[in-house]
C-alpha cells in the first residue's frame, strides 16, 4: 500500500494506517459474527460499491486537508459533472466526449477554488463555501430544477454492469486510489502538498511554486468529485441537480478517520480509503443488524470523534 | 477609500448580473384581476404543475392575470412571508399560497385578510381559520390507499420495508405513519421490518433498499414516501433482478419514476394532482372576488395511482 519515502511522515503515517486498518478489521469481525448475511461476496461487493463515491471524493478532500485547506464545493461538483454530462449525452454528443466535458466542468471549479485561495489570499473555507453555493445554483439553472433522466445504456454501464463478476465502479475506484496514492507518496507534487501544509512560508522561500501546487491540489479535488458524480448518476440512471448535497462533510469524516488532520501536513490515501470503508461498512453493518437510522447517526458521530481522539492520544505518547 | 471603491464595484457587478437575469414583470393593464400565486420554490416540477393549472384557469376566465412568485432557495419561510406582504402592498386581488411553515406564514396571511384580500391555500396551509379555500392532497388517505395497493400485490402477507425522505418533515411523516396504521390495523400477516430515511437522496435510497434486501432475502415489498426515495428503491430492485419478487409502491411522479414503472421495477406510484390545485384555486379566487361563497372550504384534490396500465394518462 502506501509506504511513503517521505521522511517527515514515514513512521507516523504507517502507525496511523495500521491503527485505522485495525479499526476496520474489528468492525468486520463484529458484523460477521452478528449477521450471517454480512460476510457474503454479494454484500461485500455491495458495500464497496456503496462506498465508492465517498471514497473518491475523500481522496481529493485529503489532498486539500493536507495543504491545510478544506473543499466544501465537492457536493456541488458532484452535481455539475453529472448534469453537464447527462445534458450533453441527451443532446446527441458521444458518451465519451460528454464525460470528458463533464469532468472538465468539475475540474474547472477546482482550478477556480485554487486560484482564489492562492492569488486572492482568501481562506479556503470561504472560497469553497462561495463556489459550493454558486455551482449548486448553476446546476439548478441548467436543469430548471428537474433531474435529467433517460441516460444512454452505454453510460449506465459505468454504474450498473459488472466485469469479471466485479461491479464497474470498483475498478474505477481502485484506479484512482492507485494513481492518486502514488502521486501523493512518490512524486514532487505529493511532497509539495505536504510541505504547503507543514510550513507554507518555508515552502515558498525554498522555491516551491506555491501557486501552481495549490491550484493543482484543488483541481484534483474537483476532478475526483466529477468522477464520483458520474458514478452516482450512472447508478441511478439520472442526474439530479441536487445530487451530492452534504457529501463534502462525509469526505472530511473519511479523511480524518483515515488519519488526515484538518490542521494540514498529515494524511495518506491508503488511510483515507480505509477511513471511507469504515464509514461504509458501519452503515451497511448497522442496517443489516436492523439498528434504527437515528441511532446510526449517533454511532457514526462517535466514531468520527473517537478516531481523531485516539490519534491525539498517540501523539502525546 | 480603496475598500469602499471595491465594495461599490462588486455591488455594481452583482446588480448587473441580477439585472440580466430578471424578466420585467408586466404590470397588469387596467381592468384585469391579478391573482398572486406563491409556492415553496420555483423549480420543483410539482410547483410548475400548480402554476400551469393556474395559468390555464386564468386563460379560460379571461381578464385574469397570474403573478407567480416563490423563494429562490428552498425552505425559507421568512422570504415567503415577505412575498405575501409584497402581494398585499401591490394590492393583488387574491393570493394563492403553498405555505412553507404553518406558523411563520400566519401573520402575513392575517395581514392580507385584514386588507380584505381573499387567501386560498394550495398544497399546504397555515394554522388559522381565516382563509377562503384550501386545495390539497389528503396525504393520509393516499398513504392508506398505497398500503391497500401494496397489500393486494403481495397477497396480504410477508415482509415489507419503508424508505422515507426526511425524518420529522410533516408531509412525508404523515405518509409513513398513515401507511403503517393501515397495515397494522388491516393486514395482520404483513410485517414492516424497518424504515430508513434517505433525505430524498436517490443514491442513499438505493443503498438502503439494497441493504434491506440483503438483510431480509424473503422481503416481498417496499413502500417509498417521495420521488427521490421511489426512484432509488426502484433502481435497487431493478439492479438486483427482483422486479418479479419484490413489489415497489411509491409516491410522486417524474420521468425517472415513469421509466421504472415501464420497466416493471415500480408497480405503482401515488401521484398527486398539483395541476388541479392550481386550476381550482384560481376559479375559487375569482368566485370569491365576485362575492360567491366557496363550499366546502377544504377540498382533497385526490391522488391517481400510476401503474403500467394508465401511464399515458398521467400528467
Amino acid at each position: 500500500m502506501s509506504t511513503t519515502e517521505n521522511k517527515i511522515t514515514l513512521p507516523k503515517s504507517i502507525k496511523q494506517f495500521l491503527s485505522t486498518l485495525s479499526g476496520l478489521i474489528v468492525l468486520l469481525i463484529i458484523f460477521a459474527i452478528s449477521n450471517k448475511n454480512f460476510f457474503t461476496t454479494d454484500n461485500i461487493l455491495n458495500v464497496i460499491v456503496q462506498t465508492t463515491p465517498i471514497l473518491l471524493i475523500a481522496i481529493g478532500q485529503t489532498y486539500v486537508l493536507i495543504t491545510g485547506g478544506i473543499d466544501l464545493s465537492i457536493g456541488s461538483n458532484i452535481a455539475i459533472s453529472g448534469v453537464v454530462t447527462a445534458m450533453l449525452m441527451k443532446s446527441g454528443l458521444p458518451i465519451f466526449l460528454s464525460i470528458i466535458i463533464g469532468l472538465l466542468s468539475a475540474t474547472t471549479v477546482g482550478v477556480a477554488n485554487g486560484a482564489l485561495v492562492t492569488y486572492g489570499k482568501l481562506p479556503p473555507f470561504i472560497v469553497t463555501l462561495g463556489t459550493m453555493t454558486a455551482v449548486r445554483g448553476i446546476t439548478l439553472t441548467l436543469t430548471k430544477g428537474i433531474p435529467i433522466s433517460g441516460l444512454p445504456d452505454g453510460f449506465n454501464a459505468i454504474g450498473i454492469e459488472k466485469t469479471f463478476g466485479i461491479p464497474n465502479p470498483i475498478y474505477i475506484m481502485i484506479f484512482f486510489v492507485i494513481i492518486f496514492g502514488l502521486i501523493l507518496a512518490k512524486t514532487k507534487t505529493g511532497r509539495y502538498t505536504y510541505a504547503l501544509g507543514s510550513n507554507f512560508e518555508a515552502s515558498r522561500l525554498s522555491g516551491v511554486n506555491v501557486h501552481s501546487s495549490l491550484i493543482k491540489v484543488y483541481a484534483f479535488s474537483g476532478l475526483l468529485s466529477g468522477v464520483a458524480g458520474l458514478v452516482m448518476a450512472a447508478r441511478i440512471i439520472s442526474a439530479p441537480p441536487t445530487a451530492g448535497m452534504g457529501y463534502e462533510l462525509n469526505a472530511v469524516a473519511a479523511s480524518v478517520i483515515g488519519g488526515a488532520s484538518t490542521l494540514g501536513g498529515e494524511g495518506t490515501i491508503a488511510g483515507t480509503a480505509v477511513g471511507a470503508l469504515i464509514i461504509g461498512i458501519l452503515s451497511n453493518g448497522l442496517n443489516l443488524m436492523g439498528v434504527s437510522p437515528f441511532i446510526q447517526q449517533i454511532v457514526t458521530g462517535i466514531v468520527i470523534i473517537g478516531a481523531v481522539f485516539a490519534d491525539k492520544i498517540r501523539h502525546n505518547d | 477609500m480603496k475598500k469602499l471603491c471595491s465594495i461599490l464595484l462588486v455591488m455594481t457587478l452583482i446588480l448587473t448580473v441580477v439585472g440580466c437575469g430578471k424578466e420585467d414583470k408586466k404590470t397588469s393593464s387596467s381592468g384585469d384581476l391579478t391573482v398572486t400565486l406563491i409556492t415553496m420554490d420555483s423549480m420543483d416540477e410539482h410547483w410548475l404543475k400548480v402554476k400551469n393549472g393556474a395559468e390555464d384557469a386564468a386563460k379560460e376566465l379571461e381578464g385574469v392575470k397570474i403573478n407567480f412568485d416563490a423563494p429562490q432557495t428552498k425552505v425559507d419561510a421568512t422570504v415567503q412571508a415577505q412575498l405575501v406582504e409584497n402581494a398585499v402592498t401591490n394590492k393583488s386581488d387574491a393570493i394563492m399560497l403553498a405555505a412553507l411553515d404553518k406558523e411563520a406564514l400566519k401573520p402575513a396571511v392575517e395581514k392580507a385578510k385584514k386588507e380584505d384580500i381573499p387567501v386560498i391555500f394550495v398544497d399546504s396551509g397555515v394554522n388559522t381559520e381565516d382563509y377562503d379555500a384550501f386545495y390539497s392532497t389528503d396525504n393520509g388517505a393516499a398513504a392508506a390507499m398505497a398500503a391497500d395497493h401494496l397489500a393486494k400485490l403481495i397477497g396480504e402477507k410477508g415482509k415489507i420495508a419503508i424508505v422515507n425522505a426526511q425524518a420529522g418533515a410533516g408531509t412525508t411523516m404523515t405518509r409513513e405513519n398513515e401507511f403503517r396504521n393501515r397495515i397494522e390495523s388491516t393486514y395482520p400477516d404483513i410485517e414492516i421490518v424497518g424504515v430508513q430515511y434517505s433525505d430524498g437522496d436517490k443514491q442513499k435510497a438505493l443503498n438502503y433498499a439494497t441493504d434491506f434486501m440483503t438483510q431480509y432475502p424473503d422481503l416481498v415489498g417496499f413502500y417509498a414516501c417521495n420521488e427521490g426515495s421511489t426512484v432509488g428503491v426502484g433502481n435497487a430492485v431493478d439492479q438486483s433482478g427482483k422486479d418479479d419478487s419484490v413489489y415497489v409502491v411509491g409516491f410522486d411522479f417524474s420521468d425517472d419514476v415513469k421509466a421504472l414503472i415501464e420497466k416493471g421495477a415500480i408497480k405503482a406510484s401515488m401521484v398527486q394532482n398539483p395541476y388541479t390545485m392550481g386550476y381550482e384555486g384560481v376559479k375559487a379566487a375569482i368566485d370569491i372576488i365576485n362575492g360567491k361563497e366557496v363550499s366546502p372550504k377544504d377540498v382533497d384534490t385526490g391522488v391517481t395511482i400510476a401503474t403500467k396500465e394508465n401511464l399515458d394518462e398521467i400528467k
Side-chain angles (χ1 to χ4, degrees):
Chain A
M1 297 293 275
S2 149
T3 47
T4 68
E5 299 294 310
N6 196 311
K7 286 196 179 53
I8 311 169
T9 56
L10 174 75
K12 218 192 127 284
S13 69
I14 299 258
K15 245 196 272 180
Q16 174 73 56
F17 175 71
L18 289 176
S19 83
T20 314
L21 194 62
S22 57
L24 179 68
I25 291 164
V26 168
L27 268 188
L28 286 172
I29 292 169
I30 293 174
F31 289 136
I33 291 170
S34 65
N35 192 300
K36 62 177 189 324
N37 296 322
F38 176 78
F39 228 87
T40 54
T41 315
D42 270 355
N43 191 52
I44 294 299
L45 288 177
N46 178 28
V47 176
I48 300 173
V49 172
Q50 288 182 4
T51 309
T52 291
I54 301 291
L55 210 156
L56 287 168
I57 58 177
I59 298 172
Q61 188 71 284
T62 302
Y63 269 83
V64 176
L65 288 174
I66 289 172
T67 65
I70 187 165
D71 186 353
L72 298 179
S73 67
I74 285 174
S76 300
N77 270 336
I78 284 174
I80 195 111
S81 87
V83 162
V84 167
T85 305
M87 289 179 90
L88 292 174
M89 288 188 305
K90 298 269 290 196
S91 73
L93 215 61
I95 294 173
F96 181 72
L97 198 59
S98 308
I99 287 177
I100 296 294
I101 299 173
L103 292 178
L104 266 177
S105 64
T107 312
T108 308
V109 178
V111 170
N113 284 336
L116 285 165
V117 168
T118 184
Y119 291 116
K121 297 200 172 36
L122 299 168
F125 190 95
I126 304 300
V127 168
T128 56
L129 180 66
T131 49
M132 158 181 136
T133 314
V135 171
R136 182 66 66 187
I138 293 172
T139 61
L140 287 163
T141 309
L142 286 174
T143 58
K144 301 190 176 62
I146 297 163
I148 310 288
S149 52
L151 310 182
D153 287 341
F155 174 77
N156 302 333
I158 295 173
I160 295 170
E161 301 293 315
K162 294 181 174 180
T163 310
F164 309 122
I166 308 278
N168 290 343
I170 297 181
Y171 292 106
I172 295 170
M173 186 258 287
I174 290 173
F175 171 80
F176 282 101
V177 166
I178 291 172
I179 294 287
F180 283 95
L182 288 175
I183 290 176
L184 189 59
K186 301 282 182 200
T187 68
K188 205 162 71 175
T189 303
R191 278 200 300 281
Y192 286 173
T193 305
Y194 284 110
L196 289 174
S198 306
N199 195 332
F200 187 87
E201 206 44 33
S203 321
R204 198 178 60 83
L205 294 172
S206 59
V208 174
N209 186 336
V210 289
H211 292 317
S212 73
S213 299
L214 260 182
I215 289 176
K216 228 186 265 181
V217 164
Y218 283 90
F220 287 167
S221 183
L223 170 68
L224 285 155
S225 323
V227 175
L230 295 183
V231 170
M232 285 165 69
R235 278 193 77 209
I236 56 169
I237 319 180
S238 162
T242 51
M245 271 190 181
Y247 281 46
E248 53 280 341
L249 296 180
N250 292 342
V252 174
S255 302
V256 296
I257 289 175
S261 160
T262 47
L263 303 173
E266 285 172 27
T268 61
I269 299 307
T272 294
V274 175
L277 283 170
I278 285 180
I279 292 182
I281 283 172
L282 199 59
S283 158
N284 168 270
L286 293 173
N287 282 345
L288 295 192
M289 283 168 82
V291 176
S292 128
F294 308 151
I295 304 284
Q296 288 192 31
Q297 291 201 23
I298 301 173
V299 174
T300 310
I302 290 172
V303 167
I304 293 167
I305 295 171
V308 180
F309 195 68
D311 192 35
K312 214 175 170 62
I313 288 174
R314 265 200 317 278
H315 266 253
N316 297 342
D317 280 352
Chain B
M1 194 62 214
K2 214 161 121 185
K3 202 166 182 174
L4 190 70
C5 276
S6 63
I7 288 176
L8 282 174
L9 192 72
V10 169
M11 292 298 276
T12 321
L13 265 175
I14 289 171
L15 287 175
T16 320
V17 170
V18 171
C20 293
K22 234 192 167 69
E23 293 162 33
D24 284 345
K25 276 222 172 82
K26 287 192 202 71
T27 48
S28 66
S29 56
S30 60
D32 272 5
L33 290 171
T34 309
V35 177
T36 307
L37 168 63
I38 298 164
T39 60
M40 295 189 193
D41 69 63
S42 54
M43 294 177 288
D44 196 290
E45 232 171 316
H46 183 76
W47 306 121
L48 296 176
K49 284 176 186 164
V50 173
K51 184 176 163 223
N52 287 344
E55 280 166 351
D56 285 358
K59 264 194 215 103
E60 273 178 40
L61 290 160
E62 287 175 19
V64 179
K65 229 178 85 333
I66 304 292
N67 248 342
F68 178 71
D69 221 336
Q72 289 310 307
T73 48
K74 279 205 167 192
V75 289
D76 199 338
T78 325
V79 173
Q80 205 186 27
Q82 279 165 5
L83 297 178
V84 176
E85 282 169 9
N86 292 349
V88 176
T89 313
N90 293 338
K91 302 225 171 352
S92 185
D93 295 296
I95 295 170
M96 287 164 68
L97 170 67
L100 271 164
D101 188 298
K102 284 182 165 42
E103 283 301 325
L105 270 295
K106 204 171 156 177
V109 168
E110 282 166 353
K111 199 169 170 178
K113 289 302 297 175
K114 240 191 229 108
E115 301 284 327
D116 283 326
I117 298 173
V119 175
I120 290 112
F121 297 139
V122 286
D123 188 86
S124 308
V126 170
N127 284 339
T128 172
E129 280 308 303
D130 205 7
Y131 62 92
D132 297 279
F134 191 174
Y135 293 89
S136 66
T137 306
D138 182 341
N139 278 294
M145 268 165 78
D148 290 338
H149 198 90
L150 183 56
K152 214 169 41 220
L153 285 169
I154 61 177
E156 301 192 3
K157 62 178 190 300
K159 290 177 179 162
I160 59 171
I162 300 175
V163 178
N164 195 347
Q166 273 95 5
T171 306
T172 48
M173 286 315 282
T174 305
R175 290 175 186 176
E176 179 193 326
N177 294 333
E178 290 307 313
F179 175 90
R180 214 184 261 282
N181 291 343
R182 182 74 176 183
I183 294 286
E184 283 164 5
S185 66
T186 318
Y187 305 103
D189 296 333
I190 296 179
E191 184 197 351
I192 299 172
V193 292
V195 56
Q196 274 286 7
Y197 298 92
S198 69
D199 299 327
D201 182 324
K202 292 170 184 175
Q203 212 69 228
K204 287 184 191 166
L206 169 63
N207 294 347
Y208 288 141
T210 310
D211 287 352
F212 271 129
M213 288 187 281
T214 306
Q215 186 187 0
Y216 302 102
D218 53 347
L219 198 79
V220 291
F222 275 112
Y223 169 57
C225 301
N226 76 333
E227 194 266 342
S229 306
T230 304
V231 171
V233 171
N235 273 312
V237 169
D238 193 47
Q239 285 165 32
S240 21
K242 292 188 171 176
D243 287 8
D244 300 324
S245 56
V246 179
Y247 297 93
V248 180
V249 172
F251 236 104
D252 296 339
F253 202 70
S254 66
D255 285 349
D256 288 342
V257 174
K258 191 176 173 176
L260 287 160
I261 292 178
E262 268 168 359
K263 258 190 187 168
I266 296 173
K267 293 292 178 281
S269 189
M270 318 306 285
V271 186
Q272 303 182 69
N273 296 316
Y275 179 91
T276 311
M277 294 175 197
Y279 183 89
E280 294 296 336
V282 171
K283 292 240 156 158
I286 302 307
D287 279 351
I288 294 158
I289 292 169
N290 294 333
K292 285 185 205 156
E293 272 279 312
V294 177
S295 165
K297 252 170 68 162
D298 300 311
V299 181
D300 173 13
T301 46
V303 290
T304 312
I305 303 181
T307 61
K308 217 173 187 161
E309 285 68 46
N310 68 354
L311 257 192
D312 302 334
E313 300 153 30
I314 307 287
K315 267 192 227 164

